[in-house]
Amino acid sequence: MRPSTASTTSFLIFLASLAWLTTAPGQSLRPGGMTEPLEKPGMPPAPPGTYRLESSPRMISQFGVFTSYQVNVDAQGNNIVGDAANEPSISVDPTDGNKIAIGWRQFDTIASDFRQAGYGYSTDAGLTWHFPGTLQPGVFRSDPVTNSDETGMFFYLSLLVDTFCGDIWRSTNGGQTWMEQSPDGGAHSGDKEWFTIDKTNGTGHGFQYQAWSTAATCNFGQFSRSIDGGVTWQNPLSLPDSPVWGTLDVASNGNLFIGGAANFSSPFWCLRSSNAQNPSVLFRVESMA
């Protein structure tokens, strides 16, 4: 990624109405470890016409040298009274730092915990934002994750709460519109999923790697790979030491790394695969201290 512009480094992203969602509906931990999924269906969606009716000035917050500009705004750039959002995931176009895309859990009204895959975009390095809506209006979704490749293509991984199965969406216009790459649930997945993209010039260029928690899964395993840009995903694999709530990254030599906590707390594990970049093999993942 090229160096960010001054305007890019001078802002932090703010999603309004977070206070009531400090512990979001459907996110619960019980003493002694995990005994239920972190995500579970809740209330039905708010009736049409009961949200996006009132507005107020958007939030602009100053913290030292940083300025935050509200993301979930209406068509006029104002705050939407009564909605809420959390779990944002942000990506920047490496070819143009003015283009930024964000995905989040969208609650159309604080009267319901029904959440959808909200998204927004900026074309001026985050000074102003546009919130077109959700990937699939009326579909219960969660755990949004966005990413971008070296060409400025954006990707959005979204979880279907009813099945814990995920799918990948792609945007070719800076996050303004999205098209589903894999069928609904076609990316396997599970609770608290994360993914990364191989941006090297090696054999794994463009591969997408995904890992998720053991709390709840779409079908089985904890890890999957796509070698065609998220359109199809290979059968999931189990991970040694079962790390959860971590993330993934690809080194400059194409090696894949996965970090996470075993037993939902400790110890912390770093896993490595040196041949995930080889499309012709059923690759292995090695455990590292």
Side-chain angles (χ1 to χ4, degrees):
M1 182 180 296
R2 69 180 184 182
S4 301
T5 62
S7 56
T8 300
T9 57
S10 66
F11 78 93
L12 295 176
I13 305 307
F14 178 86
L15 292 178
S17 307
L18 292 179
W20 78 280
L21 287 169
T22 301
T23 301
Q27 301 284 307
S28 60
L29 291 175
R30 292 182 178 180
M34 301 297 302
T35 58
E36 64 179 18
L38 293 175
E39 291 289 356
K40 55 186 177 181
M43 298 178 181
T50 60
Y51 53 92
R52 286 202 174 200
L53 297 180
E54 299 181 34
S55 63
S56 62
R58 68 169 178 163
M59 176 67 72
I60 300 177
S61 178
Q62 192 76 36
F63 183 80
V65 298
F66 297 98
T67 304
S68 299
Y69 299 93
Q70 185 178 343
V71 172
N72 54 335
V73 293
D74 64 16
Q76 287 71 47
N78 297 314
N79 172 55
I80 303 166
V81 175
D83 81 332
N86 68 0
E87 297 190 7
S89 177
I90 185 172
S91 296
V92 180
D93 183 343
T95 69
D96 183 351
N98 288 311
K99 297 179 180 178
I100 308 174
I102 299 183
W104 65 80
R105 301 201 315 173
Q106 169 64 21
F107 299 77
D108 284 338
T109 170
I110 58 175
S112 172
D113 69 358
F114 190 88
R115 44 204 178 272
Q116 303 168 80
Y119 69 93
Y121 68 93
S122 175
T123 59
D124 58 6
L127 297 178
T128 57
W129 288 89
H130 308 275
F131 170 26
T134 60
L135 296 183
Q136 287 181 320
V139 176
F140 205 134
R141 288 183 172 274
S142 193
D143 293 355
V145 186
T146 66
N147 213 322
S148 59
D149 66 16
E150 78 285 354
T151 69
M153 193 90 69
F154 285 99
F155 294 88
Y156 191 132
L157 174 62
S158 177
L159 186 74
L160 292 160
V161 177
D162 291 342
T163 61
F164 292 96
C165 298
D167 40 71
I168 287 282
W169 297 65
R170 182 186 68 174
S171 175
T172 60
N173 56 6
Q176 298 182 39
T177 58
W178 296 86
M179 178 177 295
E180 192 171 7
Q181 290 287 94
S182 57
D184 278 0
H188 301 297
S189 201
D191 196 70
K192 293 293 170 281
E193 86 291 358
W194 206 261
F195 86 111
T196 192
I197 302 172
D198 185 334
K199 303 172 187 177
T200 70
N201 293 322
T203 57
H205 175 261
F207 287 10
Q208 296 186 8
Y209 305 107
Q210 180 188 177
W212 53 86
S213 165
T214 56
T217 62
C218 171
N219 33 41
F220 55 89
Q222 202 184 350
F223 175 86
S224 185
R225 172 182 73 174
S226 172
I227 63 174
D228 56 9
V231 177
T232 61
W233 290 80
Q234 298 174 351
N235 287 335
L237 301 176
S238 296
L239 293 177
D241 303 302
S242 303
V244 301
W245 295 346
T247 189
L248 313 86
D249 205 358
V250 178
S252 59
N253 63 359
N255 283 354
L256 171 67
F257 290 86
I258 305 173
N263 303 314
F264 296 91
S265 59
S266 65
F268 188 89
W269 288 98
C270 179
L271 309 183
R272 180 187 65 193
S273 175
S274 58
N275 64 348
Q277 58 189 302
N278 187 340
S280 62
V281 302
L282 181 62
F283 59 94
R284 66 182 182 275
V285 180
E286 306 157 354
S287 181
M288 304 170 63

